[in-house]
Amino acid sequence: MSYELETKSIELNPENTNAKEMLSKINQILTPPKLIAMKNRFFLLALPILFTTALSAQGPNHFKEAKNRNQKSTEQKAVYINKIDSLMTKSYERGLFNGNVLVVKNNTVIYKKSIGFTDETKQAQLNDKSIFNIGSIAKEFNAVSIMILAERGLLTLDDPISKYNLGLPKWSEKVTVRHLINYASGIPKIENKLIVPKNDEEAWKILRNNDTLLFEPGTGYKYDNGNVFLQRKIIEKVTGMSFQEFVTKNIIKPLKMTNSVFDPEFRYKNRTSCYDMDNARCPELKFISGWLWVDINDLYKWVHAMNTNQLISKESFQVLLNNPYAKDQGGSLGTYFEKDDLQRHNGVSYKFESIF
């Protein structure tokens, strides 16, 4: 088998480059035509950035050709590394990126770099132990926890949430756990332009004092953190432990995610703080609890565990990947592009932005 290596010129627009555009640029680098077949692709971009991929090629089982393939593979790797390094360095120089980069191919790290600083003072440089707010990607931990409990027979996805005695209005008799993990519940929004709950108690008040659904469960889609909040509270009801305790025991410790923490306070060791292009620090987040911050190494452990079904079965993974109520919108694991066998999930929290 012969390979034709094509290189591409990558341009960045400093006026409108965001995580999705940068993701596209990295995808261009790592998928030159006639070179590789790619599937199970995961990205996380800005502030940490993670790319993992599985590559495969078929060829004659002959020593000389195998040697040539290895040489070609080495050359390809060098091209990838140089182009990714150039892209990320240029992005940092233009003020578009400040974060950590990890590229994994065939379960081997081929590129790893920290670019920039931990906060607006620019006194401490980032390293691979720096932990980041990954925004909505953290919602995957409650969804996977739900599936762990379902596999253990401790809950059923089609249970009405009224079963868990959460003190909610009558609409809870119509809403199921499956509706929650697919944002198809129609439950009242817990946040809008005027109101954002600063803690769990305020979120409970909003949900318990609102008798009206946005739509009949299963007939629409509304991406709202109330669905996430109730998932976490159901996990607590079923297990008798806090959501944080359950995730730590059943996910963080088994995966040896040694540098991950829930809701870290300002000045927590290795914690980053986002800031804008004027070096102004973002305000500290006051919201519902249960947001996991991770470093780039722990994030890769999580992605790898999902790829290899270490925590939940392939069937349960597909349940979270495919939204039966809104195929184009995606579910708990973001958007699934079936034709390309590609999953994408992005998260934004103040100036933190992530996408895989």
Side-chain angles (χ1 to χ4, degrees):
M1 169 175 282
S2 63
Y3 293 91
E4 178 182 347
L5 178 61
E6 299 183 10
T7 59
K8 298 183 178 182
S9 175
I10 305 299
E11 295 296 332
L12 288 172
N13 182 345
E15 297 301 322
N16 60 14
T17 296
N18 57 21
K20 290 183 180 179
E21 182 179 342
M22 201 172 292
L23 171 66
S24 175
K25 303 303 182 186
I26 294 177
N27 196 28
Q28 290 176 45
I29 293 172
L30 289 164
T31 56
K34 305 177 185 178
L35 181 60
I36 58 176
M38 187 175 292
K39 56 184 177 180
N40 294 331
R41 294 175 287 179
F42 286 80
F43 304 76
L44 178 81
L45 182 60
L47 280 169
I49 167 172
L50 173 66
F51 177 89
T52 77
T53 178
L55 293 87
S56 62
Q58 301 297 322
N61 187 18
H62 188 275
F63 176 77
K64 185 175 181 180
E65 293 189 6
K67 184 178 179 181
N68 289 337
R69 288 199 301 272
N70 289 336
Q71 182 178 353
K72 181 64 71 174
S73 177
T74 301
E75 293 173 359
Q76 293 163 8
K77 177 180 175 180
V79 171
Y80 295 154
I81 291 173
N82 290 337
K83 291 180 76 66
I84 293 170
D85 191 65
S86 175
L87 172 67
M88 303 316 301
T89 300
K90 185 182 295 186
S91 300
Y92 172 73
E93 290 171 350
R94 295 185 182 183
L96 302 174
F97 179 82
N98 183 89
N100 287 346
V101 187
L102 176 69
V103 180
V104 178
K105 182 172 73 173
N106 293 338
N107 299 322
T108 300
V109 175
I110 65 170
Y111 181 83
K112 187 175 182 179
K113 190 171 184 178
S114 297
I115 306 172
F117 299 90
T118 61
D119 59 34
E120 82 289 349
T121 66
K122 299 187 176 180
Q123 297 298 307
Q125 291 189 328
L126 290 166
N127 59 60
D128 69 348
K129 296 297 182 184
S130 300
I131 59 173
F132 294 85
N133 180 343
I134 54 174
S136 291
I137 292 174
K139 299 172 187 177
E140 295 186 3
F141 290 88
N142 42 268
V144 170
S145 296
I146 290 286
M147 298 312 298
I148 289 173
L149 295 176
E151 289 185 0
R152 293 176 183 176
L154 297 176
L155 62 74
T156 302
L157 295 184
D158 294 313
D159 283 340
I161 63 175
S162 58
K163 175 180 178 178
Y164 303 105
N165 300 315
L166 300 173
L168 294 168
K170 196 169 180 61
W171 49 253
S172 62
E173 297 175 3
K174 299 180 179 182
V175 176
T176 67
V177 177
R178 192 183 302 275
H179 291 141
L180 293 179
I181 63 175
N182 288 296
Y183 301 96
S185 64
I187 65 172
K189 294 181 64 176
I190 65 169
E191 54 186 314
N192 54 48
K193 293 181 179 180
L194 299 176
I195 301 174
V196 176
K198 295 183 177 64
N199 50 49
D200 290 4
E201 289 71 25
E202 290 187 9
W204 275 129
K205 287 180 182 178
I206 295 170
L207 290 170
R208 287 170 172 164
N209 294 327
N210 196 326
D211 296 327
T212 306
L213 288 169
L214 300 177
F215 51 82
E216 283 297 303
T219 65
Y221 175 91
K222 188 65 178 178
Y223 190 75
D224 180 72
N225 284 310
N227 294 273
V228 176
F229 177 75
L230 290 182
Q231 287 176 55
R232 294 172 181 172
K233 296 309 174 185
I234 288 170
I235 291 165
E236 293 181 346
K237 275 284 189 175
V238 170
T239 65
M241 12 174 47
S242 71
F243 169 67
Q244 293 89 330
E245 289 171 338
F246 180 84
V247 172
T248 299
K249 180 179 179 180
N250 293 276
I251 297 177
I252 294 175
K253 287 186 176 179
L255 296 183
K256 295 181 171 57
M257 296 172 64
T258 56
N259 196 31
S260 299
V261 62
F262 282 100
D263 307 312
E265 296 287 339
F266 178 58
R267 297 195 185 282
Y268 182 88
K269 183 181 179 181
N270 296 323
R271 181 189 187 273
T272 57
S273 295
C274 66
Y275 56 97
D276 62 23
M277 296 183 74
D278 296 322
N279 288 331
R281 181 192 292 270
C282 304
E284 289 298 304
L285 178 66
K286 293 181 179 180
F287 195 40
I288 59 175
S289 64
W291 301 98
L292 190 66
W293 291 48
V294 303
D295 70 17
I296 197 69
N297 302 301
D298 281 0
L299 185 63
Y300 172 59
K301 293 174 185 177
W302 169 252
V303 170
H304 181 67
M306 291 295 95
N307 272 337
T308 54
N309 306 117
Q310 293 180 40
L311 297 172
I312 57 176
S313 67
K314 185 177 180 179
E315 291 73 23
S316 292
F317 183 77
Q318 290 297 320
V319 168
L320 295 178
L321 203 59
N322 294 282
N323 189 335
Y325 307 104
K327 260 191 172 298
D328 295 338
Q329 297 291 342
S332 291
L333 301 183
T335 304
Y336 178 51
F337 300 92
E338 189 171 3
K339 182 180 178 181
D340 300 316
D341 195 22
L342 174 68
Q343 176 197 4
R344 186 181 73 196
H345 197 181
N346 69 295
V348 177
S349 181
Y350 291 123
K351 297 297 180 180
F352 285 107
E353 185 171 4
S354 59
I355 184 169
F356 76 73

